[in-house]
Amino acid sequence: MSVIVLENKRIILNGIIRYELNSDEMYYRNDMEEERFLFIFLINQDDLWSEHCFNYLYIEMADGTLYKYYSDKKLYDVMEKMANYFEEKGIASEVENCSYDDQYVSEALEAILEVDEHLEQAVESYVKIRDTFLFVNEDISAIANRIDHAFGII
């Protein structure tokens, strides 16, 4: 029985029914020098927000378990920066209580997000990645190659 270890999780290779490399996006707040010097009124609000495309390894197991791994260090850093940004905005605890699977958002946070479309997209993106993806400190392409070799795929 062959096993692959990813971040202390042992995945039995013959239990994998499907795996593939995919991509997704993270919507986040830029860190702009101009904003720090209080020239915010001169900046187009759309310039303060960006999308970061990242790749991930999707693994589907025979028992129905799904794994989504990413190794993008920039995404990891952006997630930390967004957590700090939510802390600065005073909504960190509300964001931490959100659940992507249950689509739960507190009423207090929902009221804040109704007036700021960019913040709403950022919170949704952050919660989705936090709840459904796992960071690994190994290139996901190398992991996919190891799985390929284990199955004898060329």
Side-chain angles (χ1 to χ4, degrees), residues 55-71:
N55 293 320
Y56 67 93
L57 175 62
Y58 171 87
I59 301 174
E60 183 178 341
M61 304 298 290
D63 66 1
T65 305
L66 302 176
Y67 297 101
K68 294 180 181 178
Y69 292 100
Y70 72 93
S71 59

Side-chain angles (χ1 to χ4, degrees), residues 51-92:
E51 291 180 349
H52 174 67
C53 189
F54 66 96
N55 293 320
Y56 67 93
L57 175 62
Y58 171 87
I59 301 174
E60 183 178 341
M61 304 298 290
D63 66 1
T65 305
L66 302 176
Y67 297 101
K68 294 180 181 178
Y69 292 100
Y70 72 93
S71 59
D72 188 327
K73 300 238 190 279
K74 181 177 179 182
L75 176 62
Y76 184 82
D77 292 341
V78 166
M79 290 291 288
E80 287 184 346
K81 287 179 184 177
M82 286 307 298
N84 292 335
Y85 178 70
F86 296 145
E87 187 75 39
E88 290 171 12
K89 296 283 285 180
I91 60 172

Side-chain angles (χ1 to χ4, degrees), residues 19-75:
Y19 65 99
E20 60 192 34
L21 291 172
N22 285 325
S23 63
D24 205 338
E25 293 179 344
M26 167 75 179
Y27 193 77
Y28 68 99
R29 175 95 171 177
N30 292 323
D31 186 25
M32 297 185 67
E33 289 291 324
E34 296 88 356
E35 184 182 9
R36 288 192 209 136
F37 296 108
L38 301 177
F39 296 123
I40 190 93
F41 57 90
L42 299 175
I43 299 173
N44 180 348
Q45 284 294 311
D46 292 338
D47 293 341
L48 296 175
W49 299 91
S50 293
E51 291 180 349
H52 174 67
C53 189
F54 66 96
N55 293 320
Y56 67 93
L57 175 62
Y58 171 87
I59 301 174
E60 183 178 341
M61 304 298 290
D63 66 1
T65 305
L66 302 176
Y67 297 101
K68 294 180 181 178
Y69 292 100
Y70 72 93
S71 59
D72 188 327
K73 300 238 190 279
K74 181 177 179 182
L75 176 62

